[in-house]
Amino acid sequence: MMHVWTWVVVVGLVCAVALTALPDRAPIAEGGPVARVLVIAHRGARSVAPENTLAAARRAAELGADGWELDVQLTKDGELVLMHDDVLTRTTNAREAFPERAPWRVADFTREEIQTLDAGSWFGREDPFGTIRSGEVRAEEAQAFGGERVPTLRDALLASSELDLFVNIELKGTPFAPLSSAGREMVEKVVSLVRELGMAERVIISSFDHERIRYLGEIAPEIPGALLVLSLPPDPVGYVRGYGAEAINPQVSAYDREKARLLHEAGYGVYLWTVNDPRDLARFAAEPYVSGIITDWPQRLRPLVAGR
Ligand code: G3P
Ligand code: CA
């Protein structure tokens, strides 16, 4: 009879071979469950660094995320910059730097003006996730965030390549409206940048404005698009196919395993947002048809999916 330690070694070797055979990316269009859910840091690792900055991307990579999600908006002079809100005031010092420019809308400032702003000090002041108070972020580190600038999408994509991060580019826009000229311009500029940098295989472009994703599919079928939704439609496969998208990104509370299975089996991705509750992280890390999880806490999710 084989000695118990021989069995341990044999089983260990089999597992090691199986794990190295896993793909880096969640496979689409396979019959079985997703092999490994992607860990995607929401607006970067925003629980430990100021959101939508290069510091947040660096922290995401250090914490073992596969990728990061970021928000894109157009400036007054038509440049693509990272910003979640329509206005600059929550995450920069725009109010103090430009006191006469209320209501400080991104679209009313040039790229150059926006890049004079401090996009990191607010994190140290507000401690939005309590990670400075808990000691997870050191005081000196928080202070150093004061040097962060609002990145352009170009800065963010170049940094992502260097950090070997996959990027979910969210195009901010109005849902359920006809495609606006600003929406069209944004899609065209993002496509041209992704093509120039040769990054079509490293990005997925998402939006609540599904007409932007339809347009993306028309002009750049090689760049995957994803539909952001608050609830899953009754016929999710038909819906995603109808917009020429590759994935659907539902709010976590809208998750439905049967619909996720249908989507996965039809070859479409399912990326959940924003999953932060520890029980949800554990549950969805083990869900068979989830392609990726967008979380503010990649450091909590990473150990739950490592080795799947
Ligand atoms: O991409 C998922 C999520 O980021 C969408 O919501 O408001 O955080 O941009 P929001
Ligand atoms: Ca977003």
Side-chain angles (χ1 to χ4, degrees):
M1 201 174 87
M2 208 182 282
H3 189 278
V4 65
W5 287 110
T6 311
W7 275 109
V8 169
V9 170
V10 169
V11 170
L13 281 173
V14 169
C15 288
V17 169
L19 286 175
T20 50
L22 285 176
D24 282 347
R25 301 281 175 249
I28 290 180
E30 284 186 7
V34 171
R36 189 162 74 84
V37 69
L38 291 180
V39 176
I40 305 170
H42 184 226
R43 308 183 204 168
R46 76 189 277 251
S47 57
V48 289
E51 66 184 54
N52 282 318
T53 64
L54 299 189
R58 280 191 296 274
R59 288 300 287 130
E62 287 161 8
L63 295 169
D66 297 296
W68 65 311
E69 187 263 5
L70 52 82
D71 302 295
V72 164
Q73 300 203 43
L74 276 173
T75 63
K76 183 180 175 184
D77 52 340
E79 298 271 352
L80 298 161
V81 294
L82 272 54
M83 185 63 53
H84 177 270
D85 302 358
D86 290 346
V87 294
L88 296 159
T89 43
R90 182 176 58 87
T91 56
T92 76
N93 62 335
R95 201 187 293 268
E96 294 74 37
F98 296 99
E100 311 294 327
R101 302 275 293 274
W104 301 282
R105 288 174 359 111
V106 179
D108 295 337
F109 285 77
T110 64
R111 194 266 311 154
E112 198 177 352
E113 287 172 332
I114 289 174
Q115 289 202 302
T116 64
L117 299 172
D118 170 356
S121 290
W122 73 275
F123 186 90
R125 255 194 333 271
E126 313 247 328
D127 193 11
F129 290 84
T131 47
I132 302 174
R133 216 164 38 248
S134 73
E136 192 171 348
V137 176
R138 286 174 292 108
E140 316 83 75
E141 197 186 347
Q143 203 169 8
F145 290 147
E148 286 303 312
R149 293 288 172 257
V150 174
T152 60
L153 182 60
R154 176 185 292 274
D155 298 335
L157 291 182
L158 289 171
S160 305
S161 278
E162 275 173 29
L163 295 165
D164 196 19
L165 287 174
F166 151 87
V167 194
N168 178 167
I169 303 170
E170 182 189 345
L171 309 181
K172 283 298 182 198
T174 317
F176 312 119
L179 185 62
S180 63
S181 60
R184 187 179 290 265
E185 179 187 350
M186 184 185 273
V187 174
E188 288 167 0
K189 285 185 167 164
V190 172
V191 163
S192 128
L193 182 61
V194 169
R195 282 181 174 159
E196 180 200 325
L197 300 179
M199 290 182 65
E201 290 182 2
R202 194 182 279 278
V203 304
I204 186 163
I205 298 178
S206 64
S207 188
F208 283 106
D209 180 350
H210 297 175
E211 291 306 327
R212 291 186 197 203
I213 301 304
R214 190 201 299 282
Y215 185 50
L216 170 74
E218 286 166 12
I219 66 167
E222 81 280 16
I223 303 177
L227 304 167
L228 278 164
V229 291
L230 297 175
S231 59
L232 281 166
D235 171 17
V237 171
Y239 191 82
V240 177
R241 188 173 288 142
Y243 279 97
E246 275 72 28
I248 193 161
N249 297 8
Q251 187 175 23
V252 58
S253 57
Y255 181 75
D256 178 310
R257 182 184 286 176
E258 178 55 14
K259 287 180 180 175
R261 183 183 69 77
L262 291 172
L263 285 156
H264 174 72
E265 288 180 1
Y268 298 112
V270 178
Y271 296 84
L272 297 181
W273 55 276
T274 302
V275 188
N276 284 339
D277 181 277
R279 283 161 306 185
D280 283 346
L281 287 170
R283 174 186 165 201
F284 290 109
E287 272 291 310
Y289 304 112
V290 172
S291 320
I293 295 176
I294 299 172
T295 177
D296 295 325
W297 299 90
Q299 65 275 41
R300 293 181 181 171
L301 177 58
R302 178 76 276 167
L304 299 173
V305 299
R308 273 190 76 208

